[in-house]
Amino acid sequence: MKLALGPLLYYWPRQSVLDFYAGLADSPVDSVYLGETVCSRRHELRLDDWFEVGHMLAAAGKEVVISTQSLIESESDLKALRRIVRQTDFRVEANDMGSVRLLAEAGVANWIAGPTLNVFNPHTLQLLADTGATRWAVAPELSATTLAELRAGLAAPIETEIFAYGRLPLAHSARCFTARHFNLQKDTCEFRCLSILDGITLRTREGEPFLTLNGVQTQSARVHNLLGDLAAVREHGEVLRISPQGADTAQVVALFRAALDGATTPAEALAASRAWMVAEPCNGFWHGRAGVEQYVAA
């Protein structure tokens, strides 16, 4: 089973990003997704910079994928999207239906249907496959049972990528909640999310972690972690996605690789991962339960 590192969802300083990806060159990750998917105002790395990082990782033997933005809001966003579609060095992950349309019109095949396309039935997935998608990144809300039913309804199998680790990306909005947190307007946000490595935790009145604010994106407060469920996860996909976090991402990747290779048990790997997690774990969505739950089968 392959390991993929999803796109960086947070806004880090330029050198931190470059150092982060340079450190992945020798990691056991098979695929790396690059590009800004959350907010077009994040400009520490421009598109050409992402391409340069991609060439470095490709030279190290990694499959490199350029991810498109999830919420297209301006002509400049469209220009960047068209450049991504036109380039031929890397596969493309389409994260909105506008990018799907451009890829189809350009006759591009072998692209990846991203998780924010929100595919929940085999008819939609078959349409994307017929349009040229050869891998599907599953929406993290999808349960194992629903995933199995959906895959069974396809005319032909498609490579399936399961979100296995990271804070759950729950929603995108035209409003920036990080700017609002600092009493700023979105267009004059002062780039306050820069250097907030893992977003801002939103708590209930009782002080319990509830959500995470990440610019225009809302995430879970807990960390979705399927290390303990690997035995079942293997039956439903071919790729596992790990989402980058502010520290210790390489250690998390190594734990997944060790568990997949049989060097440690899933239960042992889950216990060991607690040292590297930025919050408490959850796996409820995978089991068809509330996403915030950490479910252990009896």
Side-chain angles (χ1 to χ4, degrees):
M1 197 171 198
K2 294 187 287 188
L3 289 178
L5 189 75
L8 177 61
L9 301 180
Y10 306 106
Y11 193 29
W12 298 348
R14 174 186 174 85
Q15 193 57 50
S16 297
V17 176
L18 297 178
D19 291 344
F20 173 75
Y21 286 109
L24 290 171
D26 296 324
S27 74
V29 73
D30 300 288
S31 302
V32 181
Y33 290 75
L34 300 174
E36 179 54 54
T37 65
V38 176
C39 177
S40 60
R41 288 177 56 79
R42 297 177 173 181
H43 287 151
E44 285 290 292
L45 268 71
R46 302 284 181 168
L47 189 54
D48 286 332
D49 297 318
W50 288 117
F51 290 158
E52 185 175 342
V53 172
H55 286 296
M56 179 272 294
L57 290 169
K62 310 302 182 187
E63 178 196 42
V64 175
V65 181
I66 302 297
S67 298
T68 70
Q69 199 169 308
S70 300
L71 187 62
I72 303 296
E73 297 185 90
S74 67
E75 180 59 32
S76 62
D77 294 347
L78 280 172
K79 287 180 180 177
L81 175 58
R82 293 184 186 110
R83 282 194 63 198
I84 291 172
V85 171
R86 286 197 302 267
Q87 62 81 35
T88 57
D89 291 340
F90 310 111
R91 292 178 78 180
V92 175
E93 178 189 51
N95 283 310
D96 85 311
M97 289 306 294
S99 54
V100 171
R101 177 184 175 182
L102 289 178
L103 288 163
E105 290 177 346
V108 177
N110 197 34
W111 52 271
I112 298 167
T116 51
L117 293 182
N118 292 326
V119 177
F120 293 104
N121 65 78
H123 306 291
T124 302
L125 185 53
Q126 189 64 59
L127 174 66
L128 296 175
D130 293 342
T131 309
T134 54
R135 181 189 295 175
W136 165 48
V138 179
E141 307 97 295
L142 214 61
S143 69
T145 301
T146 304
L147 174 56
E149 294 172 351
L150 198 156
R151 292 201 346 147
L154 294 176
I158 185 172
E159 188 177 40
T160 300
E161 182 173 318
I162 297 170
F163 189 89
Y165 183 91
R167 279 189 161 136
L168 293 159
L170 301 174
H172 290 80
S173 171
R175 174 174 292 181
C176 177
F177 297 107
T178 299
R180 179 61 178 166
H181 174 79
F182 291 105
N183 293 316
L184 297 168
Q185 297 294 318
K186 179 181 178 181
D187 291 340
T188 54
C189 66
E190 300 177 4
F191 304 103
R192 288 295 185 93
C193 56
L194 185 62
S195 298
I196 301 176
L197 294 182
D198 294 293
I200 300 171
T201 301
L202 180 66
R203 299 179 181 274
T204 65
R205 290 185 176 181
E206 292 75 28
E208 292 296 319
F210 175 50
L211 296 170
T212 299
L213 306 181
N214 178 38
V216 300
Q217 183 187 63
T218 303
Q219 302 175 332
S220 63
R222 290 193 170 211
V223 176
H224 182 71
N225 188 341
L226 295 185
L227 266 171
D229 299 287
L230 284 185
V233 172
R234 284 176 179 271
E235 302 175 7
H236 299 289
E238 293 73 41
V239 186
L240 296 182
R241 176 177 294 205
I242 296 169
S243 190
Q245 60 184 24
D248 305 316
T249 302
Q251 286 85 342
V252 173
V253 170
L255 275 175
F256 270 90
R257 187 72 272 162
L260 289 171
D261 292 346
T264 185
T265 68
E268 290 169 345
L270 175 62
S273 70
R274 295 293 191 102
W276 314 121
M277 295 176 64
V278 298
E280 290 297 305
C282 64
N283 63 359
F285 281 147
W286 178 254
H287 294 280
R289 305 169 72 91
V292 72
E293 292 185 25
Q294 176 62 19
Y295 179 74
V296 179

